[in-house]
Amino acid sequence: MLRILVTCTALVGALASRVKDDISLRTDAMTNASSGKNLCSRWLIVEYDDGSQEDGATFGSFRYLSDAWTSVVLFTKTESDGCTKTYTAMCEGGELQVKKVCGEKESIETRCLGGMSCFVSSRKSTFGTGDSGVVFHPDEDDVSLSSGKVVVYTVDPSKGINLEDAPGNYKWKAEWGCYCCKHSYGLENPFSFSSRRLAWKRGSDGNMECMLAWRMIGNGMDHENPADSSVLGVFALIPEFVMTFADMMTLTIGRHLACAATCPLRNPKYEANKHAFTKIQTDMDKY
């Protein structure tokens, strides 16, 4: 019992430290945000998940680049009482507008997304029992949610992540890690022979089909039996710049969530590589 208590205490401490260190990336609202409310020069990041930690969970993320979110509807939420909220991001005012309709009653409130007078790191809407909603993906099918959350924040473009060529050219046992691919593969493996090793195919833009965002490394990783790795070890796998999904970090789903949160932060020169793919080969992960 004492050992479990010590492990839990260490885990909470590690998480608190990592989240504190990462806040600067997710918003810079208090130190590095623009001096005014206009945030059109920043990227807008939207992340969503259904709160499940099982196979088949619904999660993902997307972005709007600078000057591309003058007025964009991000998602709607219908609450258990029948009232509907529509969330619209407006970069010129640096705000998230929430329009609420309850029968014939209508109200609008705004929530800041950055600037000197904004004292938050991000905006989050949680789906409770009886709630439902739709996330409007800019270039994919809309996503329905009945649980979980949607997180909205802005990022300085200078923090864009540079991707690397997929290592291990034409070898199935490439590095385990987070890859950003040009297509969505689901449970298929673009590194495998059966998929014609598409991961290494190079397109007209000069970039590979799948490019490495970060490797899975850390003292807590059991490379021979990754499914048996410690929870603290999994935290060591996730880069410092990705902790938006920190409250859901589990051995399996947590790594996929972290990868999904990474690819929207890619440098625009890798624009086509928007689909997250977590390369882990275990009995639990068919990726």
Side-chain angles (χ1 to χ4, degrees):
M1 179 65 72
L2 178 60
R3 182 178 179 181
I4 294 176
L5 179 61
V6 171
T7 300
C8 291
T9 302
L11 177 59
V12 172
L15 173 58
S17 176
R18 297 291 290 273
V19 171
K20 179 179 179 180
D21 291 341
D22 183 67
I23 282 179
S24 62
L25 168 75
R26 293 172 50 194
T27 177
D28 304 327
M30 297 189 64
T31 58
N32 297 321
S34 59
S35 58
K37 290 186 177 180
N38 191 317
L39 301 178
C40 293
S41 62
R42 297 172 70 85
W43 296 348
L44 181 74
I45 309 294
V46 179
E47 299 175 354
Y48 58 88
D49 72 84
D50 63 1
S52 173
Q53 299 183 12
E54 306 294 333
D55 289 341
T58 298
F59 60 89
S61 54
F62 56 87
R63 71 180 180 186
Y64 285 92
L65 296 178
S66 303
D67 298 314
W69 52 289
T70 302
S71 179
V72 291
V73 180
L74 303 180
F75 64 100
T76 61
K77 180 169 72 171
T78 301
E79 299 177 319
S80 57
D81 59 3
C83 295
T84 300
K85 292 181 177 179
T86 301
Y87 295 76
T88 303
M90 301 178 175
C91 69
E92 291 184 356
E95 62 192 21
L96 184 66
Q97 181 191 86
V98 184
K99 180 179 179 180
K100 183 176 183 178
V101 177
C102 290
E104 297 182 353
K105 293 184 179 180
E106 182 179 304
S107 61
I108 295 178
E109 65 175 278
T110 59
R111 303 170 184 176
C112 64
L113 289 171
M116 292 296 291
S117 60
C118 191
F119 300 99
V120 295
S121 61
S122 64
R123 293 296 179 180
K124 179 173 72 173
S125 180
T126 302
F127 290 77
T129 302
D131 294 343
S132 63
V134 178
V135 179
F136 301 110
H137 203 293
D139 49 15
E140 294 182 15
D141 293 339
D142 297 338
V143 178
S144 297
L145 292 177
S146 58
S147 59
K149 66 180 181 295
V150 179
V151 179
V152 181
Y153 59 97
T154 65
V155 170
D156 184 341
S158 67
K159 297 182 182 292
I161 299 169
N162 288 318
L163 306 179
E164 302 176 27
D165 282 353
N169 194 20
Y170 291 97
K171 294 181 181 179
W172 182 75
K173 293 185 178 180
E175 292 279 353
W176 293 347
C178 174
Y179 290 83
C180 301
C181 301
K182 295 179 180 179
H183 298 85
S184 177
Y185 289 97
L187 295 180
E188 296 179 12
N189 189 338
F191 294 88
S192 70
F193 178 79
S194 60
S195 296
R196 296 177 294 171
R197 306 195 191 283
L198 294 175
W200 289 282
K201 182 178 179 181
R202 199 175 294 277
S204 59
D205 58 2
N207 297 326
M208 284 184 172
E209 170 70 16
C210 295
M211 301 191 70
L212 180 67
W214 43 268
R215 291 174 172 80
M216 291 189 178
I217 57 176
N219 294 331
M221 185 65 183
D222 182 346
H223 292 280
E224 296 299 323
N225 300 288
D228 297 328
S229 300
S230 69
V231 176
L232 281 175
V234 173
F235 277 102
L237 307 180
I238 309 304
E240 295 291 343
F241 53 72
V242 180
M243 285 297 286
T244 303
F245 286 112
D247 58 333
M248 289 191 61
M249 284 301 164
T250 60
L251 184 59
T252 301
I253 296 298
R255 289 180 286 195
H256 303 319
L257 292 173
C259 188
T262 299
C263 292
L265 303 177
R266 69 195 181 282
N267 189 301
K269 64 184 178 181
Y270 310 107
E271 187 60 28
N273 295 72
K274 63 183 178 181
H275 299 281
F277 180 86
T278 314
K279 189 180 187 306
I280 313 170
Q281 192 63 29
T282 73
D283 290 338
M284 297 174 64
D285 291 298
K286 305 302 182 183
Y287 286 77

